[in-house]
């Protein structure tokens, strides 16, 4: 009798919890009467989809581009001041096939997430007017152009006392642990950048400290301390729509890699198959560096060296595309040593995201590096504790990581409702 009452109570509770739409499955969901279906393809940060669906309710937001009248492709790049410039491509589909527009929206550095999403919403509204004007909703559209605050503000550029320089300084602390181990990381960094149409100057530096403690048993404790610091400088001159020339300089130190001090200077040249103005949508860049590096080591190396210098060169090919079908990033890099042809390093990185057909997406990423230049390895016998806790770089011929994923989404494409209740978890 108690079991029957319990089952009856659970059944009653289940009926209360089941949504009405599930109990009355014979009632179809009403179709959206919005005059325009839009698919948002945001390949950068800042697109708050819930906010956009709430603020721009005149259109119907769909989750598949095959069902859309307009495909919004959003990409971005950093501005000289440290802000973000969003490039928004409005790609007409179906009845609007062939209608393509591009708008750009810049937000200043240190903008809040709310400021970014508001700026994007304004740009979306502006770009969608052209399409909405060709729908039955055209009669409900109004245009309001505010007057400029003053002609003098429009015609006279503001004086920049910083002369386009942007400075950043930061510090981070991180800690985690459990009963038998703890890890602490302290890191500080600073940078100074100046970016104009013709010149690009980037200066940066960092200092890092890692402290790890392990309790192997009641009497054996291991403490691992790793330090690293570095600085880099880049100077680039624009040479037209596709060519650039510049100089790279760097200074590094790492206890893990046995580098007490590494100093390098490399003149460089770069060619982009596509104009740099199209860099947020597509780019194919070939960069060549040639120069000299000086090395000093913490411990004597496997070649019985405590210091040495080497002429080096580097070739880097980078390709990227952001298109309606998805995105692809590929980078291949080779480093050679002019004093020893048998030493080199070849690496590649690839990331692919494809929207193959309605609702089906494929993602793939990976990296593989062939290593034939470990001349800095310390000449000593590592203890088991040093090996297990990865205190020093050890000999290897390659390094890799990778992953892949598939997803398929189906169901209603006309659900614009935003309900944030119980989002998140433990």
């Amino acid at each position: 009798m108690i079991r029957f009452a319990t089952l009856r109570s659970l059944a009653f509770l289940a009926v209360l919890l089941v949504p009405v739409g599930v109990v009355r499955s014979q009632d179809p969901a009403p179709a959206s009467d919005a005059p325009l279906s839009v698919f948002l393809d945001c390949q950068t940060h800042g697109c708050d989809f819930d906010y956009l669906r709430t603020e721009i309710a005149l259109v119907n937001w769909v989750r598949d581009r095959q069902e859309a009248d307009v495909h919004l492709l959003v990409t971005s790049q950093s501005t000289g001041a440290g802000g973000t410039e969003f490039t928004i491509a409005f790609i007409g589909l179906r009845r609007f096939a062939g209608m393509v527009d591009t708008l750009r929206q810049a937000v200043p550095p240190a903008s809040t997430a709310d400021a970014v999403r508001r700026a994007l919403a304004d740009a979306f509204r502006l770009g969608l007017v052209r399409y909405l004007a060709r729908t039955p909703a055209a009669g409900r559209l109004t245009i309001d152009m505010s007057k400029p605050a003053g002609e003098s503000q429009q015609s006279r550029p503001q004086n920049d006392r910083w002369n386009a320089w942007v400075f950043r300084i930061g510090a981070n602390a991180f800690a985690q642990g459990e009963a038998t181990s703890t890890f602490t990381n302290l890191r500080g960094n600073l940078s100074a950048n100046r970016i104009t149409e013709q010149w690009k100057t980037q200066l940066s530096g960092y200092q890092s400290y890692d402290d790890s403690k392990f309790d192997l048993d009641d009497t054996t404790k291991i403490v691992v301390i790793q330090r690293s610091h570095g600085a880099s400088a880049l100077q680039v001159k624009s040479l037209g729509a596709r060519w650039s020339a510049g100089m790279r300089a760097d200074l590094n130190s790492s206890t893990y890699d046995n580098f007490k001090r590494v100093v390098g200077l490399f003149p460089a040249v770069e060619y982009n198959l596509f104009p740099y103005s199209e860099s947020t949508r597509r780019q194919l860049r070939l960069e060549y560096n040639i120069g000299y590096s000086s090395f000093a080591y913490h411990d004597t190396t496997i070649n019985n060296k405590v210091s040495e210098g080497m002429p080096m060169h580097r070739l880097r090919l980078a390709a990227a595309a952001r298109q309606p079908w998805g995105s692809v990033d590929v980078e291949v890099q080779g480093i050679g040593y002019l004093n020893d042809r048998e030493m080199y390093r070849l690496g590649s990185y690839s990331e692919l995201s494809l929207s193959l057909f309605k609702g089906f997406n494929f993602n793939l990423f990976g990296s593989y590096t062939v290593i034939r230049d470990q001349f800095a390895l310390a000449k000593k016998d590592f203890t088991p504790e040093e090996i297990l806790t990865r205190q020093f770089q050890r000999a290897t011929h390659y390094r890799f990581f990778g992953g892949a994923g598939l997803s398929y989404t189906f169901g209603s494409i006309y659900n614009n409702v935003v309900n944030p209740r119980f989002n998140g978890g433990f």
Side-chain angles (χ1 to χ4, degrees):
M1 188 66 183
I2 296 176
R3 181 177 299 175
F4 176 75
T6 302
L7 292 175
R8 184 173 60 182
S9 300
L10 290 175
F12 178 71
L13 180 60
V15 171
L16 290 179
L17 293 176
V18 172
V20 175
V22 175
V23 176
R24 301 181 60 186
S25 59
Q26 69 272 18
D27 294 338
S32 173
D33 60 354
L36 194 68
S37 294
V38 179
F39 171 68
L40 177 60
D41 184 3
C42 186
Q43 302 190 15
T44 183
H45 68 283
C47 297
D48 187 337
F49 193 29
D50 287 349
Y51 175 85
L52 295 170
R53 283 187 294 177
T54 303
E55 294 296 313
I56 308 178
L58 185 58
V59 303
N60 185 47
W61 298 94
V62 297
R63 58 173 179 77
D64 198 290
R65 64 184 300 267
Q66 279 79 10
E67 305 294 338
D69 299 311
V70 183
H71 180 166
L72 265 61
L73 179 61
V74 185
T75 55
S76 70
Q77 60 184 352
S78 298
T79 64
T84 304
E85 182 189 68
F86 294 93
T87 300
I88 308 163
F90 298 79
I91 305 170
L93 304 173
R94 300 198 300 187
R95 53 178 166 155
F96 298 109
M99 292 177 57
V100 178
D101 274 337
T102 301
L103 296 180
R104 287 180 170 83
Q105 180 72 286
V107 296
S111 295
T112 64
D114 182 64
V116 172
R117 67 183 187 178
R118 286 178 182 273
L120 284 175
D122 290 342
F124 289 176
R125 293 189 188 97
L126 184 62
L128 290 173
V129 167
R130 180 187 181 191
Y131 301 91
L132 287 168
R134 290 167 171 78
T135 70
R140 290 183 283 163
L141 295 177
T142 59
I143 299 177
D144 181 21
M145 181 178 293
S146 59
K147 294 181 180 180
E151 292 298 327
S152 60
Q153 295 180 358
Q154 297 269 331
S155 58
R156 196 169 59 222
Q158 296 181 354
N159 293 325
D160 181 7
R161 62 171 181 165
W162 295 104
N163 193 25
W165 280 98
V166 178
F167 302 89
R168 293 185 182 85
I169 184 169
N172 300 285
F174 173 79
Q176 70 177 24
E178 53 185 55
T180 58
S181 65
T182 61
F183 172 77
T184 304
N185 171 260
L186 303 175
R187 184 182 178 92
N189 57 81
L190 56 88
S191 67
N193 300 322
R194 186 178 188 269
I195 299 177
T196 66
E197 290 290 338
Q198 294 299 317
W199 291 94
K200 179 178 182 179
T201 305
Q202 293 184 324
L203 308 172
S204 64
Y206 78 93
Q207 178 84 38
S208 180
Y209 172 86
D210 292 341
D211 185 333
S212 302
K213 296 182 176 65
F214 304 91
D215 295 342
L216 301 186
D217 52 44
D218 293 338
T219 59
T220 306
K221 301 181 185 297
I222 299 176
V223 178
V224 180
I225 296 177
Q226 295 177 329
R227 296 181 177 88
S228 64
H229 64 263
S232 64
L234 172 66
Q235 181 70 66
V236 180
K237 176 67 171 69
S238 300
L239 302 175
R242 291 179 170 84
W243 284 96
S244 301
M247 179 76 71
R248 294 182 181 274
D250 57 75
L251 167 67
N252 293 287
S253 175
S254 170
T255 56
Y256 176 77
D257 291 310
N258 195 30
F259 288 136
K260 184 177 182 179
R261 183 181 62 256
V262 181
V263 181
L265 186 65
F266 297 90
V269 63
E270 181 182 80
Y271 175 75
N272 194 348
L273 181 64
F274 305 105
Y276 286 105
S277 59
E278 302 178 12
S279 60
T280 63
R281 292 289 302 275
R282 58 179 182 172
Q283 52 181 296
L284 180 59
R285 296 181 290 111
L286 183 65
E287 178 186 343
Y288 179 71
N289 299 230
I290 185 170
Y292 187 86
S293 286
S294 173
F295 302 89
Y297 308 110
H298 289 287
D299 295 316
T300 302
T301 69
I302 55 177
N303 296 322
N304 296 314
K305 297 290 183 78
V306 294
S307 64
E308 58 186 320
M310 298 183 190
M312 302 167 55
H313 61 161
R314 183 186 75 160
L315 185 64
R316 177 173 176 262
L317 177 65
R322 304 289 184 271
Q323 300 296 332
W325 45 260
S327 64
V328 59
D329 291 270
V330 178
E331 180 176 321
V332 180
Q333 178 174 283
I335 298 175
Y337 300 82
L338 300 178
N339 62 319
D340 189 343
R341 294 185 179 181
E342 294 184 359
M343 291 198 309
Y344 61 89
R345 181 173 297 214
L346 296 175
S348 65
Y349 173 79
S350 301
E351 184 174 345
L352 177 67
S353 177
L354 291 178
S355 178
L356 298 178
F357 53 85
K358 182 177 179 180
F360 188 85
N361 292 281
F362 173 68
N363 298 289
L364 178 68
F365 64 91
S367 172
Y368 190 87
T369 303
V370 178
I371 301 172
R372 297 292 187 273
D373 63 348
Q374 289 189 296
F375 51 84
L377 294 178
K379 184 181 180 180
K380 65 177 185 178
D381 295 327
F382 296 106
T383 66
E385 291 80 7
E386 290 175 330
I387 295 174
L388 291 175
T389 56
R390 292 182 55 82
Q391 296 186 34
F392 303 97
Q393 175 67 61
R394 302 179 65 213
T396 183
H397 294 307
Y398 62 89
R399 184 178 297 133
F400 72 91
F401 72 86
L406 297 171
S407 66
Y408 180 63
T409 306
F410 55 94
S412 173
I413 64 170
Y414 297 113
N415 192 343
N416 297 317
V417 177
V418 177
N419 189 338
R421 295 169 180 83
F422 281 80
N423 280 354
F426 296 98

